Amino acid sequence: MTGRDGGANIGPLGDFDPVVILVRPQLAENIGTTARAMANGGLFHLRIVAPRDGWPQERAWYASSGADRILDAAQVFETVDDAVADLHRIFATCPRPRHVVKPVMTARGAAAELRVAANRGLRTGILFGPERAGLDNEDMARADTLVRYPLNPKFMSLNLAQAVLIMAYEWFLTEDMTPPRELMTNETHVATKGEMENFMSHLIRDLDETNFLRNEQKRPGMVRNLRHFFTRGEVTEQELRTLHGVVSELSSARRNRS
């Protein structure tokens, strides 16, 4: 019917991963870019409630950048009640304050709760409202918990795919083991303390020879400052070898001039 080639192999569909539920979405392109955002964060179950222009819509696949598998498996429902009937817990994104008494969480907090629920074998869903106005009070009445993103209060405008991507990203982080900070060292390695001390001895020895550290009272503090400077970050072994060469070359040039 659609003439697509199947799209990307975007990964396993976990039975207890959260379901993304788009309530009355208006544009096929937004459904497609939502599928793309979901695939980035490891969310693969999509449900669509009363899409304005019906379903399927070819433009959604064109906008999904290969997230065809999500769109191919998307389920369509007439009402929110129908879409959430088989789920255990429902979260609803809520960009504006509403007169609703419910727990409110950040995306990060909600993602942690969703992961706990998945690990317990509970099926969960996240409601996202129409592009123009978001979820109404009747929609949010079906949710256990509201989710609000801590964004710039002077400008909190998100399109549908952006709103989904924030939740997908936070969901992905709850299981991702990538350290928050890495140093790309390529073919070298972070210098050991022994290698660093060897360089410091080389540097201090040459500084003593040049009489740079001649002030005996200030010498200990100057040496400490140099040590702090070189140990403040993760210096690599290759960088230390370069610094050794710099110090040696400066010393050689000084000796040649004398």
Side-chain angles (χ1 to χ4, degrees), residues 12 26 29 47 60-61 63 70-72 85 89 108 113 121 133 178 190-191 203 222-223 229 231-232 248-249:
Q26 297 167 344
E29 290 83 356
R47 297 182 182 183
W61 275 264
I70 292 172
L71 297 175
D72 291 341
R89 288 197 63 187
R108 184 156 300 176
E113 290 281 317
T178 303
V190 174
L203 176 62
M222 295 171 71
V223 170
F229 176 78
T231 58
R232 189 175 297 151
S248 296
E249 193 65 27

Side-chain angles (χ1 to χ4, degrees), residues 1-2 4 25-32 48 50-64 71 76:
M1 180 181 67
T2 61
R4 296 180 301 275
Q26 297 167 344
L27 297 174
E29 290 83 356
N30 289 343
I31 300 173
I48 307 170
R52 185 189 66 182
D53 299 328
W55 188 259
Q57 299 177 56
E58 187 68 23
R59 296 190 310 278
W61 275 264
Y62 290 139
S64 73
L71 297 175
V76 180

